[in-house]
Every structure is written in C-alpha cells, then in structure tokens.
Amino acid sequence: MPTTSPPSRTTVFTIANQKGGVGKTTTAVNLAAALAAQEIPTLLIDLDPQANATSALGLEKTEGRSLYGPLRGEGEAAEMLTPTAIDGLTIIPSEEDLAAAEIEIAQSENYLSLLSRVLAPIRASGDYRAILIDCPPALGMLSMNSLCAADSLLITLQCEYMALEGLGQILRNVERLKTANINPDLQLGGIVMTMFDARTNLSRQVVEEVKAHLPDKIFKTLIPRSVRLSEAPSFGQTIFDYDPQSAGSLAYRALGEEVITRFGLR
C-alpha cells in the first residue's frame, strides 16, 4: 500500500470512538510504545479527563499538568511535555481539570481549531515523527478539536455489531469537518479491530462486514480479547513490559509495523 504522508513531516493521529470500553486508550498507549520501540520519536497526548493513558504509563495525575491551561491561553503546550520510562516516548498527561475545557472551549473564537493552534509549535519543532491523541469516549468539544488537529483518524472498533452503528456516526462527523472546510485534509487512516475472539462467529462476522465496506482501511492486525491487556494499565505498564510474549504484545507490535508502513513513518 502506498504511504499517505511524506517522510519529512510530523503525522498527527487521533485515536477516537464515541463509545467507551472499545480498547481506545489501550490502543493509544501500546501503539505509541510500539512506534517508540521502532525508533520513531513519538508524542502521546492524553486528552481524556479520566487520564487513563497517563496512569497506564505509570504517571500520577497532577493538577496543572494537562492541556487545560494552554487551551485557555495560559502557558504553552510544550511546557506540559513529560518524559516516560520508555525511550523515545513523551506524553502530555491529563488530569481532572481538563473536563472543564469541554465547556470553556465552546466559548472561544474559532473553537474547533483551538487544539490545532495550541499544538502548532510542537508540530513545527520536528521533534516528533508521530503524535497520537487519545480522545474522551464521546464526540464532545475535546474530541472534535482532536479531529480538527489531526492528519489521520484511527478508529478502534470492538468486534460487536453495536459497534458498527458508532462507526457510521464518527465517519459522518469526519465528512462534516471536511465539507465545512474546517479540516479538509483529514483522512480516515485506518480501523483497528479490537477485542477479537477467534472462537466466536460474531467476531469474524463483524470483521468481514467492515472489510466489505472499507476494505482498504481495516488493519490486518486484529487485537485479541485479552486479560493481560486489561491488567497491564493497573500496573502502570504497557503490554510490552507487563507480558512481552503475550498475544496482545505480539498484536500491538504487528500493528505498530503496519502503521509505520502505511504512513511512511520511517
């Protein structure tokens, strides 16, 4: 498959789904770690006030350590850059105050492009080859800002039929942003099928249905339903540190390679 971005630029990915519990944060954290392990300088932005990506990397929620201030015009996003225990992976963490941004952003001028403006200096610095944004599980102001700041949308889709309804909704929002010329270059970068259970017909049927409608967008790697993947965040570790030989670890490593190839990150 041809690459969708030239090697010299920073690519911003939004990882989103308006439904919770679909492996969105698990994918954001482990994909970011997989890219960093392949020497792709990576920044993970935790844009969810629940701060699950922050804690999954072993960091404590700290008042004032999020994009809440910069989104309000107080300080710079670069001041929030925080190293992690993983070489090549930096995070902008989250904390509970970020929840207030959902309301305050709507009162700002050109509110949908606010995050894009805040991140512009980091993007222009060239310090990161990939920037991954983990969104809240809702299509609110933070998630919409994330879509406006991104080059590519990565959708995590649970292998259940109800998940297909949510897929249509988020794709319609992408088209609205493009036709309204708010982010005309936003692309659907790919669909990550999560919580796949090879023992059930349902999982296989959902994957086949997505392939039938969006054959060139679904990633080949299927993320398995895994207790180890669910356990790792409670220890503040990625799956690669928690259980490096597990099926989840192998899957996210393979997904990282797919993303690197598809978007020409090397």
Side-chain angles (χ1 to χ4, degrees):
M1 179 177 292
T3 60
T4 56
S5 58
S8 60
R9 62 180 289 199
T10 298
T11 303
V12 179
F13 300 95
T14 283
I15 301 175
N17 192 315
Q18 71 272 28
K19 186 175 183 294
V22 297
K24 177 179 56 60
T25 298
T26 298
T27 295
V29 170
N30 289 298
L31 176 57
L35 296 179
Q38 293 300 317
E39 300 184 350
I40 308 295
T42 302
L43 170 63
L44 175 62
I45 298 174
D46 191 349
L47 204 63
D48 187 348
Q50 297 178 80
N52 290 331
T54 299
S55 59
L57 287 174
L59 301 173
E60 297 288 337
K61 290 187 286 187
T62 304
E63 186 176 357
R65 296 296 296 175
S66 74
L67 284 180
Y68 176 57
L71 287 170
R72 301 177 67 208
E74 300 172 358
E76 301 293 330
E79 298 170 1
M80 302 300 160
L81 294 172
T82 304
T84 72
I86 300 168
D87 289 341
L89 177 59
T90 304
I91 188 173
I92 293 181
S94 182
E95 40 94 18
E96 294 174 0
D97 284 352
L98 190 60
E102 286 281 4
I103 300 172
E104 297 177 13
I105 284 175
Q107 302 171 2
S108 304
E109 185 177 357
N110 298 321
Y111 59 89
L112 286 177
S113 61
L114 192 56
L115 180 62
S116 181
R117 297 198 300 271
V118 164
L119 295 180
I122 293 177
R123 183 167 185 164
S125 72
D127 290 339
Y128 303 101
R129 185 65 189 87
I131 297 177
L132 279 63
I133 307 174
D134 183 34
C135 294
L139 289 177
M141 285 296 167
L142 289 172
S143 293
M144 293 302 289
N145 259 264
S146 180
L147 289 172
C148 292
D151 301 303
S152 292
L153 166 65
L154 302 182
I155 300 175
T156 52
L157 197 66
Q158 190 177 4
C159 292
E160 295 183 358
Y161 271 118
M162 293 297 290
L164 295 175
E165 296 181 5
L167 175 61
Q169 183 179 351
I170 196 168
L171 291 178
R172 286 191 293 274
N173 276 280
V174 170
E175 287 306 311
R176 290 190 188 104
L177 292 176
K178 295 177 71 171
T179 56
N181 211 37
I182 296 172
N183 187 359
D185 297 325
L186 178 63
Q187 300 294 324
L188 173 58
I191 298 172
V192 182
M193 304 302 299
T194 63
M195 302 182 187
F196 177 78
D197 188 342
R199 299 169 298 178
T200 68
N201 289 329
L202 177 59
S203 281
R204 293 192 295 270
Q205 288 168 359
V206 172
V207 170
E208 290 306 315
E209 187 157 341
V210 176
K211 281 183 179 179
H213 289 88
L214 297 162
D216 60 333
K217 296 301 182 181
I218 188 170
F219 286 101
K220 294 178 181 178
T221 303
L222 304 176
I223 307 301
R225 184 179 292 278
S226 166
V227 173
R228 306 300 276 173
L229 280 172
S230 300
E231 291 174 343
S234 63
F235 291 89
Q237 294 181 325
T238 70
I239 190 61
F240 307 114
D241 293 320
Y242 183 68
D243 192 344
Q245 299 305 316
S246 66
S249 178
L250 298 176
Y252 275 111
R253 192 173 291 118
L255 179 64
E257 289 291 347
E258 271 200 83
V259 169
I260 289 170
T261 300
R262 180 174 295 195
F263 297 95
L265 297 183
R266 281 200 180 92

